[in-house]
């Protein structure tokens, strides 16, 4: 009897103790907030006032050219062979972070690129990484010499356009002007020393109604040579006419295809989804021998690029190019591309 009463009291005491335990309240969830201060696609990183945007693309491309696999070698790490076609795939992701400061928006950008020529020949690389504030930019980014006309025919840019650089650029809605100091470590080198060039480039451009323009110049201090380029576009009829001219004192890191060249294109907006861009380019004193341009050697290039917007953020591109130099056999090349942007 006493044992039974004791067990009952013990059980009651245990029940009261169990009833006293209260589960912890769950912490409130902070949902992602849209940040519209810098345009579409940004959201606040939870717990901060920093806005982040994630975008990129997936690309499938088939190159057609003599020894076409050597074209993909730079992006996918393939071993060159004598095949006249080569398929490759690329995935690229960009992270852009922005926050307000007393000097204006502070921007940080990281771009990662992943290229695959096949299952085993693949390459991951840092395509850009830089910080930007009050017009100053420092890091790994593309120079003004990476710009070109809208088609695929013009050959008026630097052989290497991605540099570790420091740049200042002043800009408004219709005008920009800037100067950059570039490390040209992996650029062409012609004076016999170890490549570790320093370059200084300037750029300016803008828009005036239907007309846009850009002037870019660069001086390669180790090669002691420079180049200058001017481009302009204007809306004419159903499309846009583009012209460009480039001149180099001798081969250098900013331009090394010819002493001078001129390019022209007409980008025809055939429909809302279809753009057709025929183009031509002429080179004078084309090619390099012993660190100097080849005298009295010219070349012609002609081609057409077709862009088609299949649906929003999904497009196709076809490019066919023909190059006819005086000192070598003519070459026909091209590619077919599918790209999904996000």
């Amino acid at each position: 009897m006493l044992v039974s009463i004791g067990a009952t009291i013990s059980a009651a005491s245990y029940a009261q103790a169990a009833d006293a335990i209260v589960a912890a309240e769950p912490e409130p969830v902070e949902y992602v907030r849209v940040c519209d201060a810098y345009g579409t696609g940004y959201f606040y990183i939870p717990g901060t006032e920093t806005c982040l945007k994630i975008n990129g693309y997936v690309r499938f491309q088939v190159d057609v050219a003599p020894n076409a696999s050597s074209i993909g070698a730079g992006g996918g790490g393939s071993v060159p062979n004598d095949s006249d076609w080569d398929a490759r795939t690329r995935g690229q992701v960009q992270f852009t972070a922005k926050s307000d400061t007393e000097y204006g928006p502070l921007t940080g950008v990281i771009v990662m690129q992943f290229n695959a020529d096949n299952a085993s020949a693949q390459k991951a690389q840092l395509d850009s990484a830089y910080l930007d504030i009050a017009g100053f930019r420092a890091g790994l980014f593309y120079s003004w010499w990476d710009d070109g006309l809208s088609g695929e025919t013009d050959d008026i840019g630097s052989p290497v356009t991605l540099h570790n650089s420091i740049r200042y650029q002043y800009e408004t809605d219709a005008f920009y002007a800037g100067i950059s100091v570039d490390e040209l470590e992996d650029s062409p080198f012609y004076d016999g020393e170890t490549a570790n060039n320093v370059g200084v480039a300037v750029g300016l451009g803008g828009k005036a109604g239907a007309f846009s323009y850009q002037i870019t110049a660069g001086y390669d201090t180790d090669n002691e040579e420079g180049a200058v380029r001017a481009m302009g576009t204007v809306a004419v009829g159903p499309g846009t006419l583009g012209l460009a001219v480039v001149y180099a004192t001798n081969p250098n890191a900013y331009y090394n295809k010819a002493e001078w060249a001129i390019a022209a294109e007409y980008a025809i907006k055939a429909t809302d989804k279809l753009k057709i861009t025929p183009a031509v380019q002429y080179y004078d004193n084309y090619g390099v021998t012993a660190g100097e341009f080849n005298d009295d050697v010219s070349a012609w290039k002609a081609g057409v690029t077709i862009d088609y917007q299949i649906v929003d953020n999904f497009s196709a591109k076809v490019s066919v190019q023909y190059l006819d130099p005086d000192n070598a056999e003519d070459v026909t090349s091209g590619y077919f591309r599918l790209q999904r942007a996000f």
Side-chain angles (χ1 to χ4, degrees), residues 48-322:
T48 75
E49 292 302 314
T50 297
C51 297
L52 180 67
K53 181 178 181 178
I54 302 173
N55 63 299
Y57 64 81
V58 177
R59 174 187 294 177
F60 170 77
Q61 181 167 314
V62 178
D63 297 311
V64 179
N67 299 320
S69 64
S70 64
I71 299 174
S78 66
V79 178
N81 55 48
D82 58 1
S83 176
D84 289 337
W85 72 278
D86 186 54
R88 50 196 175 115
T89 301
R90 171 183 294 175
Q92 180 167 301
V93 181
Q94 176 170 328
F95 303 89
T96 304
K98 288 180 176 288
S99 57
D100 283 332
T101 74
E102 58 268 36
Y103 302 105
L106 170 61
T107 301
V109 173
I110 298 174
V111 182
M112 291 299 301
Q113 194 177 96
F114 307 90
N115 296 284
D117 190 67
N118 53 55
S120 58
Q122 301 188 19
K123 182 180 179 181
Q125 64 188 38
L126 183 65
D127 192 61
S128 294
Y130 60 86
L131 55 89
D132 197 306
I133 187 169
F136 288 93
R137 178 174 295 184
L140 181 71
F141 56 91
Y142 287 93
S143 75
W144 297 296
W145 282 92
D146 188 66
D147 299 337
L149 299 176
S150 64
E152 299 295 312
T153 303
D154 59 286
D155 186 10
I156 53 176
S158 297
V160 178
T161 58
L162 183 63
H163 311 295
N164 283 309
S165 303
I166 299 175
R167 184 179 87 181
Y168 175 74
Q169 179 169 304
Y170 167 81
E171 60 183 273
T172 66
D173 291 340
F175 175 79
Y176 75 86
I179 183 170
S180 71
V181 178
D182 309 320
E183 182 190 35
L184 308 176
E185 193 170 7
D186 54 356
S187 297
F189 209 69
Y190 301 102
D191 70 357
E193 298 179 9
T194 302
N196 191 25
N197 300 16
V198 174
V200 178
V202 295
L204 64 89
K207 296 180 179 180
F211 176 71
S212 66
Y213 64 93
Q214 183 191 77
I215 299 173
T216 307
Y219 182 73
D220 181 341
T221 61
D222 284 1
N223 284 312
E224 297 183 345
E225 304 291 349
V228 61
R229 182 188 67 191
M231 293 191 298
T233 63
V234 61
V236 178
T240 301
L241 176 66
L243 296 172
V245 61
V246 57
Y247 168 77
T249 58
N250 245 330
N252 63 85
Y254 289 107
Y255 195 69
N256 72 339
K257 293 295 185 180
E259 182 178 8
W260 68 271
I262 184 169
E265 71 173 27
Y266 185 58
I268 305 166
K269 190 72 172 177
T271 69
D272 289 341
K273 293 188 173 184
L274 177 64
K275 183 175 75 170
I276 304 171
T277 308
V280 295
Q281 178 162 332
Y282 173 77
Y283 310 79
D284 192 59
N285 294 338
Y286 174 78
V288 179
T289 301
E292 295 187 354
F293 290 125
N294 296 322
D295 289 335
D296 302 321
V297 176
S298 62
W300 283 93
K301 188 178 183 182
V304 62
T305 302
I306 300 173
D307 293 275
Y308 185 73
Q309 191 75 30
I310 301 171
V311 294
D312 287 347
N313 302 315
F314 183 43
S315 61
K317 182 189 290 280
V318 177
S319 174
V320 179
Q321 308 297 330
Y322 173 77

